[in-house]
Amino acid sequence: MKRKVTFQDLIMSHRLIRKLRNTALMGSMICGLALHGFSQCPMDQVVSIQGTEACEQGITNINLSKSEVGVSYVLRNDADNSVLAGPLNGNGGGLSFSTGILNATTTFNILASGFGCDQELSTLVTYTVHPVPVVSTNLVDTTICLGDSLFFQASGADSYFWNNGVTDGSMFKIAAGGKYRVIGTDVNGCVSADSVNISVVVPSFVKASADKTTICQGEEVLFDASGATSYQWNPSTVTNGASIMFDSVGNFEYEVTGTDDNGCQGTSQVVIHVNSTPSTPGLPATEFNYCKGDEFENITATSDGTGHVHWYGNADRTDLLSLNGTCLPEDVNITEDYYVVLVEGACAGEQVRVVVNVNDLPEVEAGTDKFYDAGSSVQLNGLADNVDSVFWSPAEVVDNPNINNPMASALETTELIFTGKSADGCYSSDTLILKQNITISNFLSPNNDGNNDTWQIHPLSSLQGCKVQVFDGLGAEIYSTSDYQNEWGGEFNGAPLPDGAYYYVVECEGFESAGTITILR
């Protein structure tokens, strides 16, 4: 129930209004006075803030724990009482004001209006706004070569987070182009960001090469590189297009760095494998002499263990005669050069030339068989060419065995050998038969009385190799043999021939005789 206003109340109110007319608190302390009585002003309420600090561009809420129906509330900047949010009408429950974006520290008050008066709530809240750090990177937009590294460093905050896996304050190998962004956070938790655009150029593919990568000690290698504009080799003893000789055994790596027109670099390596060279094969001699017709003897080459023995038929080593063999596997027919070398893998030692001389035999002819009368001598007529000396054997049959045409005599049929020796030590021989003259009977009486029952020719030793024939008067052959042994008794086809005259022919080498033979029983 409302209290009546007394005159004393009016006097007191008038004095208070005069005293506070020009002060900032006037509106909030005046409770709607009426000439006919006082009205009830809005009640003071508990004001709270959601957080007390934030970063620039922050937003928070100012909360009123309870509101009155019939009262409207506005949120004001306490510095100049400018309205920031509202009015919100009381509903008996709590209210919440959004501050909007804040860029500076601000103190807030809430003005409640209702029941004919305005009342500023007693609780002031202050929201501290921290400035956003100014974050920057040490890099500017740039173009680099793929795989190159950059040093990433940010400043302006206390901690930093980069995208793409970058760690602040370190080198990072660039695997792809794009935007590299860093977020910096200061001690107040305020963040800011900066970024740099990095473009990537893919360098040319550099390739190191060599004309041979596996060589033998003492061989040369030609180096080359491709894919760039300029090149730098390591070791620097190599230059592009240069040949290097390798005297040492082992594996040697060479690296080339190529730079293209964009300044991008690439590297490539090539490894040279240098194998040891085998030694020289062992041989009993390097020149061998044979005579035509000699039985071949292998020529043995030996290895000291540094390689396998290979024989070739030419100096270019394209005609392989023996692989891993130690003997020359060719028949000796003509004079030829052979080459032997020790081989291990792809490496060959110094090859040795082996000369095999095949010498011609001397040409000798002893002549035809010679017939002589018992107790007499006969002259021999040997012929010889390409000889250094000659020799007749048996020597006791001739008066001089070392000449072509000595005098010869013998007591029986004798084979004489005429031998010539060439200056190369080759021998050749020919033979003749020294025979007594043949005596041929011209009569036989095959009556089994033991006298002239068969046809007699003497000596039989001189008939060796002679052909004996008998013909009738009409020229028909009735007997023939090449090994007559004084056995013919005047038969033909096993039947006795009639008595009469018949004809014989005896043919030997160096002797021929023909005559009449009479059969008389």
Side-chain angles (χ1 to χ4, degrees):
M1 185 173 179
K2 293 183 178 179
R3 180 176 63 87
K4 288 184 178 182
V5 180
T6 65
F7 181 77
Q8 187 65 32
D9 291 331
L10 292 175
I11 294 300
M12 291 295 294
S13 296
H14 178 72
R15 289 178 178 175
L16 180 61
I17 290 171
R18 289 184 62 187
K19 185 176 181 179
L20 299 176
R21 180 179 296 170
N22 296 321
T23 69
L25 296 177
M26 182 178 66
S28 62
M29 296 182 61
I30 297 176
C31 297
L33 299 175
L35 293 176
H36 301 287
F38 289 103
S39 295
Q40 181 179 355
C41 291
M43 298 178 62
D44 199 9
Q45 303 292 343
V46 176
V47 179
S48 64
I49 187 169
Q50 185 176 338
T52 60
E53 60 182 348
C55 301
E56 291 180 19
Q57 302 294 308
I59 298 175
T60 190
N61 291 321
I62 307 298
N63 299 317
L64 190 64
S65 61
K66 186 177 180 181
S67 63
E68 294 179 86
V69 176
V71 177
S72 65
Y73 301 88
V74 295
L75 179 68
R76 299 188 305 178
N77 187 334
D78 192 62
D80 57 6
N81 286 331
S82 59
V83 176
L84 300 178
L88 297 179
N89 294 321
N91 56 16
L95 297 177
S96 180
F97 295 91
S98 176
T99 63
I101 296 174
L102 299 175
N103 290 316
T105 298
T106 305
T107 299
F108 301 92
N109 65 57
I110 294 178
L111 178 67
S113 299
F115 311 121
C117 70
D118 296 329
Q119 178 166 311
E120 180 181 313
L121 303 185
S122 63
T123 303
L124 301 178
V125 293
T126 299
Y127 195 72
T128 303
V129 175
H130 302 290
V132 173
V134 179
V135 175
S136 61
T137 74
N138 63 315
L139 298 173
V140 296
D141 292 351
T142 187
T143 299
I144 68 167
C145 304
L146 181 66
D148 282 358
S149 297
L150 290 174
F151 183 76
F152 286 81
Q153 180 74 66
S155 60
D158 292 281
S159 62
Y160 306 94
F161 175 78
W162 289 85
N163 68 343
N164 297 326
V166 174
T167 299
D168 192 64
S170 65
M171 297 293 295
F172 182 76
K173 186 176 182 178
I174 303 300
K179 178 175 288 188
Y180 285 73
R181 187 169 184 268
V182 61
I183 298 174
T185 304
D186 63 12
V187 294
N188 298 311
C190 299
V191 297
S192 182
D194 193 15
S195 63
V196 60
N197 293 312
I198 298 176
S199 300
V200 172
V201 176
V202 178
S204 301
F205 177 74
V206 177
K207 180 175 177 58
S209 61
D211 62 340
K212 294 172 289 186
T213 56
T214 300
I215 64 169
C216 304
Q217 186 178 5
E219 291 184 347
E220 288 188 349
V221 172
L222 176 65
F223 288 89
D224 196 13
S226 59
T229 306
S230 62
Y231 305 94
Q232 179 64 48
W233 286 85
N234 182 30
S236 59
T237 51
V238 174
T239 57
N240 225 30
S243 292
I244 301 295
M245 177 181 288
F246 288 82
D247 294 323
S248 301
V249 175
N251 299 322
F252 302 90
E253 182 177 272
Y254 289 82
E255 182 177 82
V256 64
T257 300
T259 304
D260 62 17
D261 291 335
N262 295 313
C264 295
Q265 292 184 330
T267 60
S268 180
Q269 300 79 32
V270 61
V271 178
I272 308 300
H273 307 278
V274 184
N275 297 317
S276 61
T277 299
S279 59
T280 303
L283 287 164
T286 58
E287 185 170 2
F288 299 86
N289 291 294
Y290 291 88
C291 299
K292 283 186 177 179
D294 282 356
E295 183 179 353
F296 172 70
E297 295 181 2
N298 284 335
I299 302 173
T300 302
T302 58
S303 170
D304 61 357
T306 61
H308 302 284
V309 177
H310 288 199
W311 284 95
Y312 295 91
N314 57 1
D316 294 334
R317 300 205 295 268
T318 57
D319 180 18
L320 180 63
L321 303 178
S322 172
L323 182 64
N324 295 332
T326 59
C327 296
L328 181 65
E330 286 285 290
D331 289 334
V332 179
N333 296 314
I334 59 175
T335 295
E336 282 192 297
D337 291 345
Y338 297 90
Y339 298 86
V340 61
V341 64
L342 294 184
V343 177
E344 183 60 39
C347 296
E350 181 182 358
Q351 69 182 16
V352 178
R353 176 172 169 256
V354 177
V355 179
V356 177
N357 296 311
V358 180
N359 300 305
D360 290 331
L361 299 177
E363 297 179 9
V364 294
E365 293 182 16
T368 60
D369 294 346
K370 297 295 182 179
F371 289 84
Y372 66 95
D373 294 328
S376 64
S377 298
V378 64
Q379 187 172 32
L380 304 179
N381 295 296
L383 298 176
D385 189 25
N386 186 33
V387 296
D388 186 56
S389 62
V390 296
F391 182 79
W392 289 92
S393 63
E396 61 270 16
V397 177
V398 296
D399 61 350
N400 186 348
N402 300 119
I403 61 175
N404 291 5
N405 51 357
M407 296 301 294
S409 63
L411 298 176
E412 58 184 355
T413 299
T414 302
E415 182 182 60
L416 286 175
I417 302 173
F418 182 50
T419 303
K421 176 186 176 184
S422 70
D424 298 315
C426 296
Y427 293 86
S428 186
S429 299
D430 193 21
T431 62
L432 62 79
I433 305 297
L434 190 62
K435 305 176 181 180
Q436 289 185 12
N437 282 323
I438 298 173
T439 300
I440 303 173
S441 172
N442 59 3
F443 173 82
L444 75 153
S445 57
N447 55 11
N448 296 321
D449 62 359
N451 293 316
N452 298 316
D453 288 332
T454 59
W455 183 35
Q456 299 293 305
I457 301 176
H458 297 284
L460 287 177
S461 60
S462 296
L463 278 178
Q464 292 179 5
C466 297
K467 184 176 183 181
V468 177
Q469 294 172 292
V470 179
F471 302 89
D472 64 13
L474 297 177
E477 183 181 81
I478 57 176
Y479 180 78
S480 178
T481 183
S482 295
D483 184 23
Y484 190 66
Q485 298 296 320
N486 289 339
E487 76 276 12
W488 187 62
E491 304 93 357
F492 179 65
N493 291 334
L497 290 170
D499 292 352
Y502 296 87
Y503 303 95
Y504 70 85
V505 175
V506 178
E507 291 180 316
C508 306
E509 183 181 358
F511 175 85
E512 184 174 344
S513 179
T516 301
I517 180 173
T518 299
I519 299 176
L520 182 61
R521 292 177 172 84

